[in-house]
């Protein structure tokens, strides 16, 4: 079979239908069905990536319905186009989906008992939507898939407690505004260029030199504004902390690593493939303004993360800060910055997955994710803590985790473009993250409470009874995905050059300044 | 006033469709932000999406064009067009490539197609949002945003402090009893909109933005995740006694 | 300088991995099989020392041993390379690890400390990171191991897990991570980007002096970013982490803060000065004297502060800061003898200071005393301990026939090579100050009478504590008599 690209979407789609239909008969079938469909999807995305790497134009193209690409401009069908960037992101999406579906057995049973068929159906549809966003080559199809991902996301969150439902409403309103603005922007694009195919739009822009056309500028603003809202860029982030904090465990493990990162991918796709480098960076004012907004975003998000006393809320604000990193990496307009941004999409997905899986296990075993309830966890759940803190060290940026390498490229990018504000903000937020995670380590490891008083009887006694310090690890179905995610964080770090090579191949098609001048 | 080139002419005559969709967009946006009732917010959301749909449809319109469905009897050149090879009995029902001169007689079907999809998406969103509203109503007893925010803050304030921790805070015993009261009427029976108002009633966040703003709910760390009642918590380990009593 | 012969050998990697294997054994043995656990530590330490020492003949013959771990970026590998200074540092660290393990056994068991398994495992990790720094071949590798050391020493510093440990840990990590993430990382990526367009490997042999291609201001800024970025070198004002880290148990202070952590810091600074900038570039740089001024200021100010400290460990901590300044000063001198003297001083000071810390810890185990003023008359009850203290003090002060003399001699010669007589003056004054804050401790112990003269319960610390400090005191003598080997290792003629 050569059309692996469409099987990336078909496996979860059929799995969702199977779950929904047969779930009425037996709830136990949903978990295996989801795992198998995710396995199929991962296999298909690996094959697609290999195809994309080996193809002479470094992309795999598939037109739905068999329409040809020959008619101007670039055909009338809906194209699914996996270039190296899209294939990488699709692999990340399906990989994360596989790990979370392995993880989901215990939390779904505990938090949404009896609703497994619906839950898994929505889960698999969410993966379909996200993978589709990564692979589609058509602007309107992107809207549809964004909404598929969004709607299933709303459903997944609202399946939780009432508090989650209240948070979902807010998310629905904001998410719909974002997607609708994107749709409006696509309308302007279609109006002016006559095509919806992403590459086709760029070809028309370049051939007709539409760089100063007001409608294209409006389209650019609308499209990117919609995407910024959906990716929770400050100050449109207000839906994210509540939605991810109160959502069921598995939902937050799935949505947090993926949704915002895939939206960043969409932004990169719009900026590079649809509008083109010359339009986006040189004909608009975004390059000058946006890094300053990014500075505000990162600083505010980092400071708000400092104020939290609950792990999941803290991680949610960290996501907002990381989104700031990636947006900044794109808009400082140079080669290293874009490498850093794309690599950070991949690595942030992995490390956020690690952290949220760990937080979910902590919630499962300790019934709380508040800082005060965490003392002594190093003795109680050492493996979980190792996995969690691998993710934490990656966020801080300690080698050899992948977070170090993405920070390396982002700093390099900031330096090359001489965007000192972005660089200094990166440094500042790194320090804030050091404080965040080592404060967490202190809470777990030290016999001191928040106000500074000693607890316990000294000599390392943490003031806990024997039951709280007994070795009581998470169930294997939750622990193994966490350790898998932690090892992926380290492996992606060690093998970062392989990934970056592919990113560089992708970026070579675009003419980006590298800022290299040396004696 | 409406002569050529003036602003009114440009806005209301030449670009009437843009003007209308912008007005509708802003009405929808205003409703989402300013209205207090959640259902009215959803109506605003619907108006917002409708504006966009109208915009798309309007850009496909051409002066004097007809609907884009091909009927050979309306085609003056039908007899001259090549027929499909297998459509001999019923005539030219197959898709024909229109000559350039005929293209302008039909409105552009593509925006209609796109908007059918968008309408479906809108319907799905509306349905989902309404069911979430229903859930909120069943859970909190209200669909007014200000009341909902109050209830959420109260619940978060009550549950955020004591219940979540492994060891109860030693502050006010009043909190601890409330947490044990609270633990019994957790989630589903939440007609408990009328909580003991131990936390001060906050003033209505009037002209709140469509989101119960992240800031006001920020202080609350809710332990709503532990829907398993604390009796389950006690099953695993002895009840959390204050520190002095903990056996070692 | 002639091209050294490169030998490919796996022994550097073995030295690096031995502690990891030991750590697995330590965790497996656990609290229940404490003697087996200690055996694992000894085994790993001995193996590491044996591997490192086996490399000495090869290096003395002029070769250089390399091992390529992994190509981490396209153009920058993680590469291990053993050359003279690195091997000297590695020998010192690995031999002293054996001594410290014996000492730690006595100390921890004597005080019935908690969480010993965790202690020994992170100790092993720290030594692995130290070996990594000693054997790094380029800036990126050294940075990796530097960060690994910061993180792996944190549980050791906060071992007591109480309020003071929290404060100490915060100071420690705050200073170290702030400087390395905010000062060092930008400097590294600057070099990566602007030199040869990202193709630079920042290798210590191949790319010496390329930094000279930058403009004058850039060079000075980079120099200072590197100097302060490696905050483990304890240059003022980035020195406060060192007294703060004294909340750790004494074996930690002894090895880590006299040998491993601080020596990693100054060794990294030496590498930057000698092998990234290179003596020619340094000598021609205009603002370079400022580094010497900062180092000298550190030496003098810390010695003065040490005079005022009554807590013995804090006094030794400030003494360490001053002695580290010597190494930075030597490296900044940019002469062969100055930089050779700097590396020598790493070894000599390590031996002397570890003796002093061992004595301080032994005193605490035996008597519970922490303050200098309480030590009156202790010399009679604990003659071995205080005798070793005297020897260590004399080595730090720099009197022959002890090791410290050699390094200070070469530092002075290096300063004279450059006509910087003020540096010699600084050296003399600081040696005098060393006398004033180290000798009174021994004098008080031996020659003053105490109120508790009749207290006969005080005797020497348990033998696992006393034997190591005697051995390291003897080591100070040996370093003097074997100094020709050491000089050969750092490339100076004896």
């Amino acid at each position: 079979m050569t059309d692996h690209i469409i099987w990336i979407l078909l496996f979860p789609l059929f799995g969702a239908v199977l779950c929904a239909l047969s779930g009425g008969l037996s709830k136990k079938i949903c978990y295996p069905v989801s795992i198998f469909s995710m396995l199929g999807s991962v296999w298909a995305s690996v094959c697609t990536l290999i195809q994309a790497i080996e193809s002479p134009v470094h992309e795999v193209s598939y037109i739905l319905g068999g329409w040809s690409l020959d008619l101007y401009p670039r055909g009338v069908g809906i194209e699914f186009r996996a270039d190296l960037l899209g294939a990488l992101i699709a692999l990340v999406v399906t990989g994360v989906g596989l790990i979370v579906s392995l993880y989901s057995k215990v939390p779904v049973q505990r938090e949404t008992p009896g609703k497994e068929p619906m839950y898994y159906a929505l889960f698999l549809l969410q993966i379909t939507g996200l993978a589709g966003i990564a692979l589609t080559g058509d602007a309107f199809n992107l809207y549809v898939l964004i909404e598929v991902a969004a709607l299933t996301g709303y459903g997944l969150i609202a399946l939780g407690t009432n508090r989650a439902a209240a948070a979902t409403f807010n998310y629905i309103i904001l998410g719909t505004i974002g997607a609708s603005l994107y749709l409006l922007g696509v309308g302007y694009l279609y109006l002016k260029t006559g095509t919806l195919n992403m590459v086709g739009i760029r070809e028309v822009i370049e051939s007709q030199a539409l760089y100063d056309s007001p409608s294209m500028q409006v389209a650019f603003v609308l499209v990117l504004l919609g995407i910024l809202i959906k990716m929770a860029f400050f100050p449109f982030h207000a839906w994210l902390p509540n939605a991810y904090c109160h959502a069921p465990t598995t939902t937050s493990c799935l949505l947090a690593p993926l949704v915002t990162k895939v939206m960043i991918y969409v932004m990169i796709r719009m900026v590079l493939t649809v509008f083109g480098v010359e339009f986006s960076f040189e004909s608009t004012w975004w390059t000058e303004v946006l890094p300053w907004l990014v500075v505000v975003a990162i600083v505010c998000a980092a400071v708000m993360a400092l104020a939290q006393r609950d792990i999941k809320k803290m991680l949610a604000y960290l996501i907002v800060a990381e989104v700031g990193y990636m947006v900044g990496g794109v808009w400082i307009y140079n080669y290293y910055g874009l490498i850093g941004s794309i690599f950070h999409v991949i690595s942030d997905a992995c490390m956020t997955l690690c952290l949220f899986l760990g937080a979910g296990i902590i919630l499962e075993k300790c019934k709380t994710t508040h800082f005060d309830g965490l003392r002594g966890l190093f003795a109680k759940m050492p493996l979980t803590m190792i996995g969690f803190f691998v993710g934490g060290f990656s966020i801080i940026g300690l080698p050899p985790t992948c977070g170090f390498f993405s920070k390396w490229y982002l700093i390099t990018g900031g330096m090359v473009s001489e965007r000192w504000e972005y660089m200094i903000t990166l440094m500042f937020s790194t320090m804030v993250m050091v404080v965040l995670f080592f404060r967490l380590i202190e809470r777990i490891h030290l016999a001191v409470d928040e106000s500074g008083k000693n607890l316990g009887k000294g000599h390392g006694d943490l003031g806990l009874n024997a039951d709280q310090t007994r070795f009581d690890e998470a169930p294997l179905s939750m622990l193994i995905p966490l350790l898998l995610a932690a090892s992926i964080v380290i492996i992606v770090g060690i093998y970062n050059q392989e990934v970056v090579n592919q990113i560089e191949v992708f970026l070579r098609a675009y003419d980006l300044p590298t800022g290299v001048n040396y004696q | 006033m409406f002569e050529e080139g003036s602003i009114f002419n440009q806005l209301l005559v030449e670009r009437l469709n843009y003007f209308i969709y912008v007005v509708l967009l802003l009405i929808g946006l205003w409703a989402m932000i300013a209205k207090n009732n959640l259902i009215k917010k959803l109506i605003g959301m619907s108006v917002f999406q409708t504006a966009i749909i109208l915009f798309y449809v309007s850009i496909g319109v051409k002066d004097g064009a007809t609907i884009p469905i091909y009927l050979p009897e309306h085609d003056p050149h039908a007899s001259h067009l090549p027929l499909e090879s297998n459509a001999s009995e019923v005539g030219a029902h197959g898709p024909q490539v229109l000559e350039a001169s005929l293209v302008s007689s039909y409105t552009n079907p593509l925006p209609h197609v796109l908007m059918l999809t968008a309408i479906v998406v809108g319907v799905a969103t509306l349905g989902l949002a309404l069911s979430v509203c229903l859930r909120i109503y069943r859970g909190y007893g209200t669909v007014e945003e200000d009341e909902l925010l109050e209830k959420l803050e109260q619940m978060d304030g009550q549950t955020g402090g004591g219940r979540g921790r492994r060891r109860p805070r030693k502050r006010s015993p009043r909190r601890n009893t409330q947490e044990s009261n609270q633990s019994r009427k957790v989630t589903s029976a939440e007609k408990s909109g009328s909580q003991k108002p131990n936390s001060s009633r906050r003033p209505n966040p009037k002209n709140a933005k469509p989101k119960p703003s992240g800031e006001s709910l920020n202080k609350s760390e809710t332990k709503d995740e532990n829907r398993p009642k604390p009796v389950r918590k006690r099953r695993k380990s002895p009840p959390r006694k204050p520190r002095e009593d903990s056996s070692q | 300088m002639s091209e050294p012969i490169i030998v490919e050998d796996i022994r550097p990697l073995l030295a690096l991995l031995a502690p990891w294997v030991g750590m697995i054994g330590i965790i497996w043995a656990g609290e229940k099989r404490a003697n087996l656990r200690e055996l694992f530590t000894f085994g790993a330490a001995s193996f590491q020392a044996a591997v490192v020492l086996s490399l000495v003949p090869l290096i003395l013959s002029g070769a250089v041993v390399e091992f390529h771990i992994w190509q981490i970026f396209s153009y920058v590998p993680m590469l291990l390379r053993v050359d003279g200074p690195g091997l000297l540092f590695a020998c010192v660290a690995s031999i002293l690890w054996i001594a410290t393990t014996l000492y730690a056994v006595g100390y921890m068991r004597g005080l019935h400390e908690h969480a010993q398994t965790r202690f020994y495992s992170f100790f092993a990790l720290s030594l692995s990171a130290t070996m990594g720094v000693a054997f790094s071949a380029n800036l990126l590798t050294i940075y990796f191991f530097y960060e690994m050391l910061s993180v792996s020493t944190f549980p050791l510093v906060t071992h007591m897990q109480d309020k003071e440990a929290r404060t100490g840990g915060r100071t420690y990590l705050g200073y170290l991570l702030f400087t390395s993430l905010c000062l060092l990382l930008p400097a590294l990526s600057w070099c990566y980007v602007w030199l040869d367009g990202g193709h630079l490997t920042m290798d210590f042999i191949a790319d010496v002096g390329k930094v000279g291609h930058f403009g004058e201001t850039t060079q000075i800024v980079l120099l200072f970013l590197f100097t302060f970025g490696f905050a483990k070198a304890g240059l003022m004002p980035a020195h406060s982490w060192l007294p703060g880290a004294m909340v750790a148990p004494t074996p930690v202070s002894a090895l880590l803060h006299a040998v491993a952590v601080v020596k990693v810091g100054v060794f990294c600074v030496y590498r930057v000065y000698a092998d990234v900038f290179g003596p020619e570039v340094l000598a021609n740089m205009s603002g370079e004297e400022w580094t010497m001024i900062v180092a000298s200021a550190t030496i003098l100010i810390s010695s003065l502060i040490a005079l005022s400290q009554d807590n013995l460990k804090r006094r030794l901590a400030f003494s360490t800061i001053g002695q580290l300044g010597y190494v930075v000063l030597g490296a900044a001198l940019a002469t062969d003898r100055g930089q050779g003297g700097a590396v020598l001083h790493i070894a000599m000071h390590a031996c002397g200071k570890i003796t002093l810390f061992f004595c301080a810890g032994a005193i605490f185990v035996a008597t519970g005393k922490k303050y200098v003023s309480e030590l009156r008359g202790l010399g009679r009850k604990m003659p071995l301990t205080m005798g070793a203290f005297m020897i260590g003090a004399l080595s730090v002060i720099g009197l022959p026939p002890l090791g410290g003399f050699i390094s200070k001699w070469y530092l002075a010669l290096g300063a004279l090579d450059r006509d910087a007589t003020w540096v010699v003056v600084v050296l003399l004054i600081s040696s005098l100050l060393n006398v004033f804050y180290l000798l009174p401790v021994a004098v008080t112990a031996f020659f003053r009478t105490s109120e508790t003269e009749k207290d006969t319960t005080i005797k020497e610390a348990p033998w696992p504590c006393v034997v190591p400090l005697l051995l390291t005191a003897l080591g100070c003598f040996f370093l003097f008599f074997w100094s020709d080997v050491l000089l050969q290792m750092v490339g100076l003629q004896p």
Side-chain angles (χ1 to χ4, degrees), chain C residues 1-6 62 205:
Chain C
M1 163 141 44
S2 60
E3 281 299 311
I5 319 156
I6 298 183
I205 288 187

Side-chain angles (χ1 to χ4, degrees), chain A residues 4 6 12 28 78 132 182 203 258 312 323 364 377 396 412 415 450 480 519:
Chain A
H4 297 109
I6 202 64
K28 292 209 181 299
I78 296 180
Y182 171 78
E203 286 174 359
L258 291 181
K312 281 180 87 168
V323 164
E364 165 80 20
L377 278 184
I396 292 176
T412 312
M415 222 181 261
E450 181 158 6
I480 293 189
Q519 298 85 347

Side-chain angles (χ1 to χ4, degrees), chain C residues 106-224:
Chain C
Y107 185 90
M108 303 294 271
R109 292 190 184 192
L111 290 177
H112 304 288
E113 282 284 353
H114 63 285
Q116 292 189 24
T117 312
R118 182 183 75 205
F119 180 86
Y120 288 114
S121 22
F122 278 104
F123 219 94
L125 275 188
S126 314
L127 259 301
S128 169
T130 311
M131 287 297 127
V133 169
F135 291 155
S136 291
N138 54 42
L139 269 179
L140 201 64
T141 317
I142 229 179
Y143 178 76
F144 279 21
F145 286 113
Y146 184 87
E147 295 286 39
M148 181 178 155
L149 188 62
S150 305
V151 175
S152 59
T153 46
F154 178 75
L156 294 172
V157 169
T158 55
H159 185 252
M160 303 307 292
Q161 291 176 263
D162 58 4
K163 199 166 42 174
E164 288 84 24
R166 182 170 89 157
T167 322
R170 282 183 180 179
T171 323
Y172 181 73
L173 218 53
Y175 269 92
L176 291 184
L177 284 182
F178 174 76
T179 47
S180 72
L181 291 171
C182 299
L183 297 178
L184 199 48
L185 204 50
L188 277 180
S189 52
W190 189 291
C191 289
Y192 178 77
V193 172
W194 294 105
L195 284 180
D196 277 1
H199 295 204
L200 185 72
T201 62
M202 300 179 283
D203 193 278
F204 290 143
I205 288 187
D207 303 315
V208 180
K210 288 224 177 116
V211 191
H213 292 155
F214 286 137
E216 286 278 320
T217 2
T218 317
Q219 284 182 28
I220 271 290
V221 167
L222 270 183
L223 189 66
F224 274 96

Side-chain angles (χ1 to χ4, degrees), chain C residues 100 103 107 119 123 156-157 242-243 245-262 313 316-317 320 353-354 357-358 360-361:
Chain C
T100 314
Y103 182 83
Y107 185 90
F119 180 86
F123 219 94
L156 294 172
V157 169
L242 192 53
M246 289 297 139
V247 295
T250 309
V252 177
S253 307
L255 186 68
L256 264 34
H257 305 296
V259 177
V261 170
V262 295
K313 274 174 73 169
L316 294 176
T320 306
K353 194 46 75 63
I354 207 175
F357 270 106
F358 280 168

Side-chain angles (χ1 to χ4, degrees), chain A residues 186-242:
Chain A
V186 168
Y188 276 88
L189 278 178
Y190 176 65
L191 189 58
K192 198 66 187 177
T193 59
T195 176
L196 288 170
N197 188 296
M198 287 182 181
V199 176
I201 295 178
R202 190 175 89 236
E203 286 174 359
V204 172
I205 293 180
E206 283 170 1
S207 64
Q208 295 184 11
L210 292 172
Y211 301 117
D212 295 319
S213 141
S215 42
M216 295 309 284
Q217 299 273 342
V218 169
F220 188 74
V221 170
L222 285 174
V223 160
L224 283 184
L225 198 56
I227 303 295
L228 287 179
I229 295 178
K230 291 231 70 150
M231 75 164 76
F233 183 70
F234 188 92
F236 310 117
H237 69 289
W239 56 267
L240 192 141
N242 279 326

